[in-house]
Amino acid sequence: MISEYVMPVNMPVTSKRLAIRWMVLLAIMAFELIVITARYEVPLLSVNNANWSAWLFHFSKEIWSLSLWIFCACFLIVSPRLKVILGNLQEQSSDYRWLVWLAFHILAFIAFAIITALIFETPTNPTRLSAPWFTGWFALASATLRLWLLALAPGRFWLRLIRQEQMSLLLGCLLGLCAWMLIGMLVRQEAPLGQKEFWNSLAVPTLQLVHSLLGWVYSDLVYQPERFLLGTADFQVEISYACSGIEGISLITVFLAIYLWLFRKELRFPQAFWLFPLGIITVWLANALRIAILVVIGASFSSEIAAWGFHRQAGWIAFTLIALGAIALSNRLQFFAATQPDVPVRTAKPLAAALLVPFLVLMAVSMVSSAFSSGFDTLYPLRVVAIVIALYYFRKAYAGLDWRWTWHAPAIGGAVFIIWILLEPDIDSSKTALSQGLAELTSGSAAAWLVFRVLGSVITVPLAEELAFRGYLIRKLIAKDFENVPLVQFSWFSFMLTSVLFGLLHERWIAGTLAGMCYALALYRRGQISDAVIAHMTTNALIAIFVLTQARWSLWS
């Protein structure tokens, strides 16, 4: 007689046992990655003309960091549906025979580890850096990963996930790839060798296109393709990895991936994916034109403006115009937009424009004025005038906002000032471009410039930035109809993202991110935009006093 307490063979396991199983599988994967990455080093390229398989072996160590970025990007994009995905995973994995797949995975990993040891042993055997060896090595790596995924969940789960999230996964791959390239370039200040070798190949057509453009202006060009050098006898530029177009291509790809994901309901797919090649080609052509204009300015007008202002800001100006052009194109052309031909495209609401336009004017004038300066922005007063005009134009839209504030707002602003000063690096202010530029002005011109600098820092900039970040974006990330979102409504996603974006807007991005968090907390306390504005104004006013009394010009640099 069978006892009634005997568990049936196909009875689903509990959630606790499932969690333990997943933790075991993750631990196994982590252990295997540590063994492979810590024990073996990639082989060095011994010759410049190494075959493609040797180059791929050399580049293989970057696969792990690239995979991590892609995973994080995909996880971020599908996170709103993560609860549903995990529920489906639990449902299909409860009575799944996973131990068989785990055994196959372990056998595949052992074979992969043996092949890896043979290929990456020291000294490296050149005959093992061939195409057949790479094909076998890559096939074993792929089989090991696939078997681990099958141990985690059945194949039908993965096929269903790919079908349902194919657009999100594609955007995640693009976003992760571009983030990996940007981090390799910005955080480490240099790219891995594999990235440099790949993108230097892009520098060749860029060099040729710039040479063709400059041929219309100069007849005596200095052209040394072997050194990626181009220019005139008086001014030359080196077009290599950094100037190949990788920055613009990465940024426009990340921007379009985020844009397509946020507005996926308003766009038509797969037609919207054509924005990627259009944006990439346009950015690359704009980069070549930027370099050509840079040479013209440096050779015929001012090498200082070319090397400092124009070189730093022209790329951002081009990227901004191309990004805005992509948005306009996707909304104007029926090929990209999901709206029917007889449905008019909705225009921006007056409140949205009133909150955003002053900040957009600030950014546009800042980039243009900085592009035509040699380190010291003599045209800074134009920023103040332009923002005042924008604010005055939308003055009626601001009348509906409650501008009352309490003592908590300046207290928060004072706290941000302390944080900003504590995180300020120790820089010799006498050697900054700002202090040197002021020294070259007459006393009257310097005093007038400082008046505009204080007015901009204390009044116009806080107004423009807070209206955009805490008035518009922090609510837009919660709901599309942001006007109906109360200012006191909190969301971790909007709180963190707006704070990070606010930090990235400033050169001191860590202090800027913390400041953005504090200003958001000032907003949440009473739901009044005025509290965030007053807190921001207080911080900037204290910084201005500190700069003028202590001559700490680096705080304004």
Side-chain angles (χ1 to χ4, degrees), residues 402 404-416 466 470-471 474 487-490 495 498-499 513-539:
D402 192 346
R404 293 174 299 174
W405 55 276
T406 64
W407 64 270
H408 297 89
I412 293 174
V416 174
E466 292 308 314
R470 258 62 67 177
I474 204 168
L487 287 170
V488 293
Q489 183 170 338
F490 179 81
F495 171 70
T498 53
S499 300
T513 300
L514 295 176
M517 292 179 177
C518 292
Y519 300 149
L521 293 177
L523 172 74
Y524 290 136
R525 183 180 174 274
R526 295 193 310 132
Q528 303 295 342
I529 187 66
S530 57
D531 286 335
V533 173
I534 294 299
H536 197 160
M537 287 182 173
T538 302
T539 301

Side-chain angles (χ1 to χ4, degrees), residues 482-502:
F482 75 98
E483 299 91 340
N484 298 325
V485 177
L487 287 170
V488 293
Q489 183 170 338
F490 179 81
S491 165
W492 277 109
F493 177 71
S494 64
F495 171 70
M496 293 302 299
L497 185 56
T498 53
S499 300
V500 171
L501 291 176
F502 184 79

Side-chain angles (χ1 to χ4, degrees), residues 65-235:
S65 58
L66 173 60
S67 300
L68 179 61
W69 279 107
I70 290 177
F71 172 79
C72 292
C74 292
F75 182 83
L76 176 64
I77 292 178
V78 303
S79 58
R81 299 173 298 282
L82 187 60
K83 187 175 181 180
V84 176
I85 294 173
L86 289 177
N88 187 28
L89 175 61
Q90 181 176 353
E91 178 184 352
Q92 299 196 28
S93 301
S94 59
D95 57 350
Y96 180 57
R97 298 181 181 275
W98 62 284
L99 287 174
V100 176
W101 293 110
L102 178 60
F104 283 128
H105 164 76
I106 293 174
L107 292 175
F109 174 76
I110 293 173
F112 175 66
I114 293 173
I115 295 297
T116 303
L118 292 174
I119 294 172
F120 294 99
E121 65 180 357
T122 305
T124 303
N125 187 346
T127 61
R128 292 176 183 166
L129 301 180
S130 59
W133 277 86
F134 180 81
T135 303
W137 181 78
F138 185 77
L140 274 174
S142 302
T144 303
L145 176 60
R146 285 196 294 268
L147 289 170
W148 183 86
L149 292 175
L150 288 174
L152 184 66
R156 60 181 180 272
F157 167 80
W158 298 113
L159 291 175
R160 182 179 177 182
L161 180 65
I162 293 173
R163 284 196 300 267
Q164 293 180 345
E165 302 289 344
Q166 54 183 343
M167 189 185 75
S168 299
L169 295 175
L170 177 60
L171 294 180
C173 291
L174 291 171
L175 188 62
L177 175 63
C178 293
W180 168 73
M181 291 188 295
L182 285 175
I183 293 300
M185 176 178 57
L186 299 177
V187 174
R188 288 173 282 180
Q189 297 300 318
E190 59 178 8
L193 182 57
Q195 288 187 35
K196 286 187 175 180
E197 291 169 348
F198 175 78
W199 288 104
N200 273 341
S201 63
L202 181 62
V204 175
T206 303
L207 181 71
Q208 295 171 345
L209 179 57
V210 174
H211 180 258
S212 300
L213 293 173
L214 291 175
W216 292 86
V217 183
Y218 302 102
S219 58
D220 55 341
L221 288 174
V222 175
Y223 183 52
Q224 300 178 10
E226 68 281 358
R227 297 176 54 195
F228 297 99
L229 198 66
L230 178 64
T232 65
D234 299 325
F235 187 85

